[in-house]
Amino acid sequence: MPKSLFLFPDTNLFYQCKPLDSLDWSLFGTFDEIKLYVTRPVQAEIDGHKGKGTGRLANRARSTSSTFRDLLLSVEDFKVVLGSPRVLLFLRHDLKKDESLLDQLDYSCNDDQLVGIAAAYEEPILMKMSEF
């Protein structure tokens, strides 16, 4: 079974960093696979910046949106970003926020939505691990 790392990037990964295939993914440790899960709040924020002129942010948003569109039209449900370690990009609109965190997070804020989604995703993994 491959050793996998699951990451929930925010828009800064696409706006501020080098292209995904140029990043040094080994900084996260030794993994066979790194899965990047782009959630609905992140995609919505990127979509919101696409039409805002010709500046760097708008250009990056359009480029990222194009990558997402190619992924949606692809036969695969992921895009291979890098071969070693194997870095995979997924659009995960099916992931929902952890509603039990409503008293701790402000779900009108995209960052808090992302935290809530990551928290909800973590729970099933921990439950599986506790079965051992």
Side-chain angles (χ1 to χ4, degrees):
M1 176 185 250
K3 185 177 173 186
S4 298
L5 175 66
F6 301 87
L7 299 175
F8 294 82
D10 71 358
T11 55
N12 286 319
L13 177 66
F14 303 102
Y15 292 158
Q16 305 299 330
C17 294
K18 295 178 184 176
L20 297 179
D21 60 353
S22 299
L23 295 175
D24 181 5
W25 296 98
S26 68
L27 296 173
F28 286 103
T30 306
F31 294 94
D32 301 310
E33 290 183 331
I34 298 174
K35 296 182 178 183
L36 303 172
Y37 286 170
V38 176
T39 58
R40 184 66 193 128
V42 172
Q43 187 179 5
E45 189 172 335
I46 289 169
D47 285 345
H49 285 111
K50 288 188 310 191
K52 294 190 175 178
T54 58
R56 180 179 176 275
L57 185 63
N59 289 336
R60 286 270 179 121
R62 283 190 290 275
S63 174
T64 301
S65 184
S66 177
T67 299
F68 294 167
R69 183 178 49 253
D70 292 345
L71 182 54
L72 285 169
L73 297 173
S74 170
V75 174
E76 300 288 340
D77 65 343
F78 59 88
K79 174 183 167 86
V80 178
V81 173
L82 195 65
S84 182
R86 189 171 151 110
V87 179
L88 306 172
L89 179 68
F90 294 82
L91 291 179
R92 294 296 308 264
H93 297 156
D94 59 311
L95 300 177
K96 305 298 180 205
K97 305 176 288 274
D98 183 343
E99 297 300 328
S100 71
L101 298 174
L102 277 172
D103 61 334
Q104 300 170 43
L105 298 172
D106 176 5
Y107 282 152
S108 66
C109 172
N110 279 353
D111 287 343
D112 282 8
Q113 290 178 37
L114 186 56
V115 169
I117 290 169
Y121 187 79
E122 181 180 32
E123 187 174 345
I125 293 172
L126 291 177
M127 291 174 66
K128 287 180 188 175
M129 291 173 66
S130 67
E131 293 173 6
F132 291 105

